[in-house]
Amino acid sequence: VAISAPFTSSNSGDLVHVSAVVNDSNTVNAIQVYVDGTFVFEEDLGNQIDSYVQVPSGPHTIAVKAWDSSGSFDSTRTVNVSGSSSATCTVGEILPYVQICTPLANSSSSSPVTVKALATSQNLPVTSMRLHVDNTSTYTTDSSSLTTSVTLAKGVHKITVEAWDWTGQTWKQNVYTTVQ
């Protein structure tokens, strides 16, 4: 696992940019991000991640783990989080890509939860996007951007946004958020 962001011992605002590529001759089944040993973010498909994770102030360890058919492997980085960020929501550079802008991975919010996401593909146009909450489809739009609100009970919820282009190619991103 090659982590390109954050840099080791770097300083960051509360939105930490996490970008990594997995180099593996086997198919990568999942990539996950951990903050101080706590699972916060997951990619189910592909060999890269490029997203933002909300992290409280202080020194933290960011770990990226990947799984293939033979097991798991990981890389870690330390980052000092101080202050807040003014990062804008953009899709990753390796296409196709879905970026969930809100809620951020590892965030807390109140219900209803606003979900915003962007998608792009090398096979433009992106024709549709679908929101899944806890593995249940809840909203679909025929666009390359998704904005909606969902009423959720207190607790941890898996938010998945799936996109597809005119060729039928599909891809998705998952984040976990806690409703207070």
Side-chain angles (χ1 to χ4, degrees):
V1 177
I3 300 175
S4 57
F7 295 113
T8 299
S9 299
S10 63
N11 289 315
S12 174
D14 60 348
L15 297 180
V16 177
H17 182 216
V18 178
S19 182
V21 175
V22 178
N23 297 308
D24 191 351
S25 58
N26 296 319
T27 300
V28 175
N29 300 321
I31 303 171
Q32 294 180 339
V33 176
Y34 294 79
V35 176
D36 300 327
T38 301
F39 170 71
V40 296
F41 177 78
E42 177 180 62
E43 282 290 338
D44 289 337
L45 300 171
N47 67 340
Q48 62 92 29
I49 60 166
D50 189 10
S51 192
Y52 290 87
V53 178
Q54 188 165 2
V55 181
S57 293
H60 299 280
T61 300
I62 307 290
V64 179
K65 285 187 168 187
W67 281 263
D68 66 10
S69 58
S70 65
S72 69
F73 40 97
D74 68 3
S75 290
T76 61
R77 295 283 168 95
T78 56
V79 61
N80 187 44
V81 177
S82 58
S84 60
S85 297
S86 59
T88 58
C89 184
T90 60
V91 292
E93 295 178 9
I94 301 171
L95 303 179
Y97 206 81
V98 170
Q99 177 64 56
I100 299 175
C101 305
T102 59
L104 293 171
N106 197 36
S107 65
S108 295
S109 59
S110 58
S111 189
V113 175
T114 299
V115 179
K116 293 182 182 180
L118 303 171
T120 192
S121 166
Q122 68 274 29
N123 301 313
L124 294 175
V126 172
T127 57
S128 297
M129 295 177 71
R130 179 173 292 144
L131 170 65
H132 301 266
V133 177
D134 299 325
N135 299 318
T136 300
S137 176
T138 60
Y139 179 78
T140 302
T141 183
D142 294 331
S143 175
S144 63
S145 65
L146 177 145
T147 301
T148 191
S149 292
V150 289
T151 301
L152 301 175
K154 289 182 180 182
V156 177
H157 296 277
K158 179 180 180 182
I159 306 292
T160 303
V161 176
E162 177 183 24
W164 54 96
D165 62 26
W166 67 275
T167 67
Q169 175 178 231
T170 64
W171 61 101
K172 61 184 173 179
Q173 183 180 71
N174 304 302
V175 297
Y176 290 83
T177 188
T178 301
V179 175
Q180 304 283 337

